[in-house]
Amino acid sequence: MHRLILCLLIAMSASALAQTNEVLHTEEDDTLLGPQTGLSLSGSHFTWGADVGSSVDLSGSDMTTFDIDAYFGYKGTMIRTAAAGMGVHKAFGNSYTFIPVYALLRSSFRSEPSLFFMEVKGGYSFNTLADSGSAGGAYGSVGVGINLAMSPRLQSHIILSYGFFTLHKASELAIPYVGDNISYAVLHFGINF
């Protein structure tokens, strides 16, 4: 009798295991890693990307920069990108360097694909100002993006925005800039996966 019960338990366990394996191989898993059949990023909510461009100093104080930014975070239908990012913005005419660390949000406010989207960034910038040392401060930008190419694996875009850096105690620094904020017109080209 014990052998019969043991054989029935083994048979029921094997049947349940086979049914579970069949379900796992036929249904897609909507977790962060994407479909169960592969770990494709195109089917997941994870995104990463990079932007390259320039920030033109609106005050004319020789603070125009060449920018490289990278970010990683979440993507969805309404929210194109919600991410953490970091950049290196190197001035053209001097040895000033701005390193912003920020939160990034991009959205078209629609669930369907759209040509335009809005971008908002906010964070803190670690600024190295030549012989004056470091002078960190707030960093932010707001702008409009245009989608260039969109596929499940890759998206490219151009973003035009207004940005600013805050220089704490700028009047005490030996720099040719008067004021506590630097305003920029920003043009970036970027891709994300």
Side-chain angles (χ1 to χ4, degrees):
M1 185 70 170
H2 293 290
R3 287 185 181 174
L4 181 61
I5 293 174
L6 183 61
C7 287
L8 284 173
L9 286 174
I10 291 172
M12 288 173 36
S13 298
S15 174
L17 183 60
Q19 288 176 353
T20 303
N21 274 342
E22 186 178 318
V23 168
L24 286 176
H25 289 297
T26 58
E27 293 182 1
E28 288 188 356
D29 182 10
D30 288 332
T31 63
L32 290 177
L33 293 178
Q36 190 68 24
T37 57
L39 299 179
S40 169
L41 284 178
S42 64
S44 75
H45 290 288
F46 175 77
T47 187
W48 66 276
D51 291 354
V52 175
S54 182
S55 298
V56 178
D57 179 13
L58 296 176
S59 69
S61 299
D62 204 20
M63 296 283 201
T64 298
T65 61
F66 172 74
D67 309 337
I68 298 175
D69 290 86
Y71 54 89
F72 65 94
Y74 170 85
K75 68 179 176 182
T77 54
M78 289 285 287
I79 298 174
R80 176 187 163 131
T81 307
M86 182 176 149
V88 176
H89 300 189
K90 179 75 177 105
F92 285 116
N94 51 52
S95 58
Y96 302 166
T97 304
F98 304 91
I99 302 174
V101 177
Y102 52 86
L104 161 72
L105 177 66
R106 292 178 182 156
S107 178
S108 63
F109 305 102
R110 298 178 51 186
S111 56
E112 295 86 22
S114 176
L115 180 62
F116 297 100
F117 61 90
M118 182 177 171
E119 178 189 77
V120 178
K121 291 181 184 176
Y124 187 84
S125 179
F126 301 91
N127 308 325
T128 303
L129 304 173
D131 298 332
S132 300
S134 296
Y139 164 75
S141 74
V142 93
V144 175
I146 301 171
N147 289 309
L148 299 177
M150 296 179 69
S151 74
R153 294 176 186 255
L154 171 76
Q155 296 180 347
S156 62
H157 55 264
I158 291 178
I159 297 173
L160 179 62
S161 59
Y162 165 81
F164 72 92
F165 289 99
T166 299
L167 301 175
H168 290 299
K169 301 180 182 177
S171 58
E172 299 173 12
L173 301 173
I175 60 173
Y177 184 78
V178 178
D180 292 332
N181 297 312
I182 303 172
S183 296
Y184 290 100
V186 183
L187 181 64
H188 282 180
F189 169 78
I191 56 172
N192 62 293
F193 302 92

